[in-house]
């Protein structure tokens, strides 16, 4: 018999005529006169299926070994549940114990555990309600992202994980080498696997630009790596980024796309993951529905960097920021959160930052001081998106690279895009984990990725 998933059973409007087979893990077992009740979860949804095992059926005496965490297979009839809270339950005909979970040592006995403790058992935490819901949301969000771009004629492309270049120029690179580290000093770079320095990518953007300048609209969605030694709740060393890149587009078009993107993703997840989402507004963050509605109202505030600094400078007197907001420095998380949570009380898009604090590839504005770029800021999160129009003028780009002392030879292929049929083009990068934090209200990035990688922490 083919197994049925619990989410199918629970949402079924009609009676199942034939017996079904369910396979899952026991959350709790309760015994009463003449019956045992098992709460069974198979990961397909938040809800458990109640299984009723009458004492009179032949269980091969396995019930005594079935407790929290055990895996079982149950064949039975779906019947209307007389109990509260569920429409259907399963009347067991046959039950098989697949794997026991020793109650002395199984760490997920029925009680609430702290996020910190659960991080130490990341290999088991997906079996709790909260983390099960999180990883289902992660999957649904990924699907929503592909759906959004597919509907709009974007092509999903794959950009390299191993690269020779530092796209962002921030020097936060992980080296990739096949040399034996212990004897590294005795070797020269020619001995290394690629015969040159290699790194894990910090962004797929530069290669995505090449495909955008051929296919028109593309996006990449993959893991990126940054050796930022900042132990904050918003930074991971390995995180996923969604990066659309659009040919024949300017800054305004990409700002519109960013706003529409966030709006659509939130709409999708509210529609398709309501019960998983409800767990977070009940148990993690009561103000979550309000914040999600805020995005759906759609009128993100748009202002330039100079305007943002003016507001922050005024506010500094009363807010006493840790970092003084001065023209020419990057916005800090405390500034971003002030703008979204206190000042505008909605999502904010800041554009046209000074060129000196931004990477080489951004389009220089006519003022020759700022570049055509954007940051999308969300309440609770701060920066979720960074992007820009790209410099499409060969001469200006070469000058910029010279100013920054970059080795142009390594970028000949990138410069070719400006030599041959150059077009204005623009794109952005959205941090996928930060999106999940926004959607669930979870406040630490370590809890929205199954196996987080952070400074001095590489478990599992
Ligand atoms: O603003 P960033 O650095 O932009 C880029 O990398 C561009 N090349 C993207 C593009 O235009 N195609 O990073 C983009 C986003 C940030 O806004 C943030 O959400 C996320 O990536 N991010 C991180 N998320 C988690 N941990 C980190 N250490 C992150 N660093 C950036
Ligand atoms: Mg950024």
């Amino acid at each position: 018999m083919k197994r049925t998933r619990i989410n199918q059973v629970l949402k079924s409007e009609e009676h199942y005529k034939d017996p079904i087979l369910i396979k899952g893990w026991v959350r709790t077992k309760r015994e009463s006169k003449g019956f045992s009740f098992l709460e069974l979860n198979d990961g397909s949804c938040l809800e458990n299926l109640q299984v009723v095992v009458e004492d009179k059926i032949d269980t091969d005496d396995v019930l005594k070994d079935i407790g929290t965490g055990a895996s079982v297979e149950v064949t039975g009839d779906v019947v209307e549940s007389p109990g509260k809270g569920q429409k259907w339950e399963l009347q067991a005909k046959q039950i098989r114990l697949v794997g026991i979970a020793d109650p002395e040592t199984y760490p997920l006995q029925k009680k609430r555990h702290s996020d910190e403790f659960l991080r130490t058992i990341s290999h088991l935490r997906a079996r709790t309600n909260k983390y099960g819901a999180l990883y289902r949301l992660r999957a649904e969000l990924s699907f929503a992202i592909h759906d959004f771009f597919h509907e709009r004629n974007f092509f999903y492309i794959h950009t390299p994980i191993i690269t020779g270049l530092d796209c962002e120029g921030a020097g936060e690179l992980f080296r990739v080498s096949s040399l034996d580290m212990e004897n590294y000093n005795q070797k020269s770079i020619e001995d290394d696997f690629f015969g040159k320095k290699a790194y894990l990518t910090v962004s797929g953007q530069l290669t995505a630009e090449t495909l955008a300048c051929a296919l028109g609209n593309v996006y990449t969605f993959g893991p990126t790596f940054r050796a930022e030694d900042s132990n904050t709740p918003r930074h991971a060393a390995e995180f996923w980024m969604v990066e659309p890149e659009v040919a024949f587009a300017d800054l305004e078009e990409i700002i519109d796309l960013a706003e529409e993107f966030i709006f659509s993703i939130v709409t999708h997840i509210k529609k398709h993951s309501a019960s998983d989402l409800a767990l977070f507004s009940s148990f993690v963050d009561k103000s979550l529905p309000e914040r999600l509605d805020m995005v759906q109202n759609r009128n993100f505030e748009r202002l330039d960097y100079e305007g943002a600094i003016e507001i922050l400078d005024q506010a500094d007197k009363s807010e006493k920021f840790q970092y003084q907001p001065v023209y020419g420095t990057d916005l800090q998380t405390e500034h971003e959160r002030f703008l979204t949570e206190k000042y505008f009380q909605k999502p904010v898009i800041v554009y046209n930052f000074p060129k000196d604090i931004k990477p080489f590839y951004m389009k220089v504005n006519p003022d020759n001081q700022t570049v055509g770029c954007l940051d999308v800021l969300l309440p609770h999160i701060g920066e979720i998106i960074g992007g820009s129009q790209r410099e499409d003028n060969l001469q200006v780009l070469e000058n910029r690279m010279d100013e920054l002392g970059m080795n142009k030879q390594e970028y000949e292929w990138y410069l070719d895009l400006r030599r041959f049929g150059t077009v204005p083009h623009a794109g952005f990068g959205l941090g996928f984990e930060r999106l999940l934090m926004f959607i669930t209200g979870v406040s630490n990035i370590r809890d929205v990725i199954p196996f987080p990688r952070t400074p001095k922490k590489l478990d599992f």
Side-chain angles (χ1 to χ4, degrees):
M1 197 189 296
K2 224 177 95 204
R3 85 173 151 150
T4 308
R5 300 276 277 168
I6 289 175
N7 64 333
Q8 291 174 289
V9 177
L10 293 181
K11 70 173 184 228
S12 170
E13 296 291 332
E14 287 161 34
H15 277 275
Y16 278 78
K17 286 191 208 72
D18 301 317
I20 62 164
L21 168 64
I22 296 281
K23 306 185 182 194
W25 292 268
V26 173
R27 285 290 175 84
T28 55
K29 181 175 75 174
R30 201 155 46 83
E31 274 156 11
S32 85
K33 228 173 140 213
F35 302 96
S36 294
F37 295 99
L38 303 178
E39 290 291 326
L40 209 61
N41 191 285
D42 69 354
S44 61
C45 59
L46 184 67
E47 294 77 18
N48 301 323
L49 180 65
Q50 173 157 286
V51 179
V52 185
V53 191
E54 287 187 58
D55 285 354
K56 66 175 192 239
I57 73 160
D58 179 15
T59 60
D60 254 350
D61 215 19
V62 294
L63 266 181
K64 64 177 183 351
D65 295 325
I66 294 179
T68 298
S71 48
V72 296
E73 296 182 3
V74 187
T75 314
D77 292 317
V78 179
V79 298
E80 248 167 277
S81 176
K84 272 201 299 238
Q86 72 260 332
K87 187 163 183 230
W88 305 110
E89 61 183 32
L90 194 68
Q91 197 93 53
K93 284 173 168 326
Q94 223 175 45
I95 181 159
R96 195 170 88 78
L97 172 60
V98 180
I100 57 162
D102 179 3
E104 297 294 312
T105 49
Y106 184 57
L108 291 174
Q109 296 302 327
K110 199 177 161 63
K111 68 166 196 164
R112 253 180 113 168
H113 300 285
S114 71
D115 291 325
E116 288 74 19
F117 169 70
L118 289 172
R119 246 173 253 155
T120 67
I121 51 163
S122 291
H123 58 300
L124 295 173
R125 65 178 175 170
R127 298 187 191 186
T128 64
N129 281 344
K130 178 174 168 183
Y131 289 88
L134 244 171
Y135 302 146
R136 277 189 300 275
L137 282 170
R138 208 179 149 103
E140 189 62 39
L141 267 182
S142 307
F143 173 75
I145 286 165
H146 287 300
D147 196 42
F148 174 88
F149 287 120
H150 188 256
E151 261 187 13
R152 284 163 184 77
N153 253 302
F154 278 69
F155 298 103
Y156 175 38
I157 57 159
H158 302 115
T159 48
I161 304 277
I162 300 177
T163 169
L165 300 174
D166 179 3
C167 169
E168 296 302 298
E172 295 159 341
L173 298 163
F174 283 105
R175 281 290 290 278
V176 175
S177 171
S178 59
L179 294 181
D180 172 6
M181 282 294 162
E182 256 96 81
N183 303 306
Y184 196 76
N185 291 339
Q186 291 147 36
K187 304 268 185 179
S188 74
I189 198 72
E190 284 84 47
D191 298 321
D192 206 347
F193 190 89
F194 296 105
K196 62 186 276 193
K197 285 185 179 167
Y199 314 98
L200 293 177
T201 188
V202 296
S203 160
Q205 179 197 320
L206 300 186
T207 43
E209 280 184 52
T210 69
L211 295 196
C213 290
L215 304 181
N217 301 354
V218 299
Y219 70 104
T220 159
F221 181 11
T224 44
F225 309 86
R226 293 190 188 181
E228 277 167 287
D229 200 9
S230 46
N231 237 319
T232 81
R234 282 177 189 75
H235 291 86
E238 176 177 298
F239 61 99
W240 284 62
M241 217 201 291
V242 184
E243 296 181 272
E245 191 69 35
V246 188
F248 300 98
D250 60 11
L251 183 67
E252 201 180 326
E253 272 183 74
I254 212 74
I255 290 180
D256 290 342
L257 182 73
E259 187 176 317
E260 193 190 345
F261 180 57
I262 294 177
F263 166 81
S264 301
I265 297 299
V266 169
T267 305
H268 176 108
I269 210 77
K270 278 172 84 167
K271 182 168 169 204
H272 295 280
S273 300
S275 95
D276 282 330
L277 211 52
L279 177 143
F280 292 92
S281 38
S282 309
F283 297 111
V284 175
D285 183 353
K286 297 256 189 292
S287 61
L288 188 59
E290 196 186 316
R291 270 209 312 279
L292 296 180
D293 286 348
M294 201 191 259
V295 163
Q296 286 196 299
N297 293 337
R298 272 198 100 147
N299 54 342
F300 291 22
E301 186 70 30
R302 299 181 184 193
L303 80 167
D304 66 6
Y305 168 85
E306 204 177 337
I309 290 290
E310 268 169 37
I311 292 171
L312 291 166
D313 182 46
Q314 282 293 315
D316 195 26
K317 294 180 192 76
S318 53
E319 293 293 319
K320 309 240 178 326
F321 295 120
Q322 192 186 343
Y323 294 90
Q324 212 190 335
V326 279
Y327 190 96
T329 59
D330 215 348
L331 300 183
Q332 301 292 325
T333 303
E334 57 176 346
H335 305 144
E336 296 168 347
R337 294 191 61 171
F338 170 79
L339 289 173
T340 54
E341 289 163 27
K342 283 199 175 166
Y343 194 85
F344 291 112
Q345 300 187 2
K346 58 178 171 171
V348 176
I349 300 178
V350 183
Y351 57 89
N352 288 353
F353 284 63
K355 74 173 183 197
D356 294 339
I357 55 169
K358 288 294 178 185
F360 79 99
Y361 54 72
M362 293 187 175
K363 175 128 190 104
V364 180
N365 282 325
D367 64 12
N368 203 27
Q369 294 304 315
T370 59
V371 283
C373 65
L374 72 139
D375 271 8
V376 179
L377 317 178
L378 291 182
H380 179 76
I381 302 298
E383 179 192 339
I384 187 157
I385 283 181
S388 74
Q389 188 171 338
R390 319 307 187 188
E391 185 54 73
D392 55 324
N393 179 301
L394 180 64
Q395 198 57 56
V396 177
L397 186 57
E398 284 189 323
N399 290 346
R400 220 20 206 132
M401 294 174 81
D402 287 338
E403 268 170 36
L404 293 166
M406 293 169 66
N407 178 0
K408 280 187 302 206
Q409 259 167 6
E410 290 189 323
Y411 293 85
E412 281 305 321
W413 58 274
Y414 188 72
L415 295 169
D416 270 353
L417 301 180
R418 282 76 185 163
R419 285 189 188 107
F420 310 125
T422 191
V423 292
H425 60 288
F428 65 73
L430 167 133
F432 185 61
E433 281 72 24
R434 293 193 187 173
L435 179 65
L436 256 163
M437 289 168 72
F438 178 73
I439 281 176
T440 58
V442 167
S443 56
N444 197 318
I445 197 163
R446 292 165 181 78
D447 296 331
V448 295
I449 186 164
F451 299 102
R453 273 80 180 89
T454 51
K456 301 284 179 287
K457 206 87 191 140
L458 181 65
D459 297 331
F460 310 102

